[in-house]
Amino acid sequence: DGWTGYKGLEKEFPKLLREKSEKKGKNFPQLHRSIMMFKAWLRGVHHSVHYLQSYINEYTYRFNRHKMKEGIFENLMKRMISAPPHPYKMIIG
């Protein structure tokens, strides 16, 4: 059925949905815009791609959080307060 290559991914990606054929390709403009934004960001901020994976990781982090109302600092503080404490011995041991 053309879906066999994705068998087993249901556990890793429970929200993975199969699109009906009339909907395929509708998100290409958004995908193209995201790729163009990444390329512009990479050219503007990093003039070399020596550490490309690190740059991609940073861009992904920023892109996934660009609609958050709170800033990165506020988000970090909220996560630190809501997480259980980790004693030093647990971190180094």
Side-chain angles (χ1 to χ4, degrees):
D1 68 39
W3 193 241
T4 56
Y6 297 101
K7 293 219 184 288
L9 287 178
E10 304 90 22
K11 293 176 187 170
E12 286 187 60
F13 302 101
K15 295 182 180 180
L16 187 66
L17 299 174
R18 185 175 185 178
E19 287 289 335
K20 294 181 180 179
S21 60
E22 69 265 7
K23 290 185 177 182
K24 289 182 180 176
K26 300 271 184 179
N27 63 346
F28 281 171
Q30 294 170 337
L31 177 64
H32 180 69
R33 189 176 313 120
S34 296
I35 292 170
M36 297 310 295
M37 286 172 34
F38 171 72
K39 288 169 62 175
W41 175 81
L42 186 63
R43 285 185 192 121
V45 175
H46 306 289
H47 301 285
S48 167
V49 291
H50 188 69
Y51 303 105
L52 183 60
Q53 187 60 54
S54 297
Y55 298 158
I56 292 171
N57 293 347
E58 179 184 352
Y59 182 80
T60 303
Y61 179 84
R62 291 173 182 267
F63 181 82
N64 288 336
R65 286 151 184 82
H66 77 280
K67 290 188 178 179
M68 288 182 139
K69 294 188 188 307
E70 59 196 20
I72 292 174
F73 180 76
E74 289 84 7
N75 186 14
L76 176 64
M77 288 293 115
K78 185 189 300 182
R79 288 181 180 201
M80 288 173 55
I81 291 170
S82 64
H86 288 58
Y88 182 71
K89 289 181 182 179
M90 189 173 113
I91 295 172
I92 63 167

